[in-house]
């Protein structure tokens, strides 16, 4: 299977790929009304737990304000810093529809997060409520899509 070969090669080189959808929840660019009208509103994370999960966006926004950065830049820098701490390379793939957003995202490379920033961002893990899945069946979600 081609995907397994590519994944194996990346794993051998200690490179991780992080897809855009995992970052979107942190940017603060979506509204409750936007997600209510599409499939994301059907997930417990973006639907019924929307209000509770806004705490996560507030934490990212707080760090972004301190660095005069965007939430997206902080989310990307967080991934890059965490990978460096783990001794691996990471290749975040943000979903930028506009060239100016892609250029803006590059600012994450130069963003220096300190230990306090990392502690604050790492705390997000314990705050997440709900699932991103539209069905409660991991085999359906991944079947033929990886």
């Amino acid at each position: 299977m081609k995907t397994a070969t590519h994944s194996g090669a990346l794993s051998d080189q200690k490179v991780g790929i992080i897809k855009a959808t995992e970052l979107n929840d942190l940017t603060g660019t979506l509204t409750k009304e936007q997600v209510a009208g599409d499939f994301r509103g059907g997930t417990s994370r973006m639907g019924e737990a929307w209000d509770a999960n806004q705490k996560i966006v507030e934490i990212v926004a707080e760090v972004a304000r301190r660095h005069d950065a965007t939430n997206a830049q902080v989310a990307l820098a967080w991934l890059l810093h965490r990978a460096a701490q783990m001794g691996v390379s990471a290749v975040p793939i943000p979903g930028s529809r506009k060239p100016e957003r892609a250029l803006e995202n590059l600012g994450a490379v130069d963003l220096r997060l300190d230990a306090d920033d990392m502690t604050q961002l790492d705390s997000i893990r314990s705050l997440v409520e709900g699932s991103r899945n539209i069905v409660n069946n991991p085999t359906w979600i991944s079947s033929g899509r990886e």
Side-chain angles (χ1 to χ4, degrees):
M1 182 169 143
K2 267 189 170 178
T3 306
T5 302
H6 293 297
S7 293
L10 291 173
S11 177
D12 291 346
Q13 297 299 316
K14 296 184 179 179
V15 174
I17 305 268
I18 297 101
K19 59 186 177 172
T21 55
E22 305 302 330
L23 301 174
N24 290 344
D25 299 350
L26 304 175
T27 63
T29 58
L30 297 173
T31 66
K32 192 174 188 175
E33 292 73 29
Q34 283 175 307
V35 299
D38 66 26
F39 74 93
R40 293 172 292 195
T43 68
S44 58
R45 185 177 302 175
M46 301 294 270
E48 62 200 45
W50 174 270
D51 293 328
N53 285 318
Q54 290 310 293
K55 290 180 279 187
I56 295 165
V57 175
E58 291 168 16
I59 290 170
V60 175
E62 184 179 326
V63 174
R65 280 189 296 276
R66 284 198 304 264
H67 291 278
D68 193 27
T70 66
N71 286 20
Q73 288 171 327
V74 168
L76 291 165
W78 179 28
L79 292 171
L80 294 170
H81 279 71
R82 175 59 60 221
Q85 287 177 337
M86 295 171 66
V88 297
S89 297
V91 182
I93 305 174
S96 302
R97 293 189 181 136
K98 298 177 181 178
E100 56 270 18
R101 288 283 184 242
L103 290 172
E104 179 182 283
N105 289 338
L106 287 174
V109 174
D110 296 324
L111 188 58
R112 299 292 172 240
L113 301 174
D114 62 28
D116 290 337
D117 295 327
M118 292 301 289
T119 298
Q120 193 172 8
L121 292 166
D122 287 343
S123 74
I124 288 172
R125 215 178 336 209
S126 65
L127 299 174
V128 176
E129 293 186 25
S131 168
R132 299 185 87 249
N133 299 335
I134 56 174
V135 295
N136 193 18
N137 180 348
T139 59
W140 179 87
I141 293 163
S142 296
S143 178
R145 293 171 181 81
E146 60 277 329

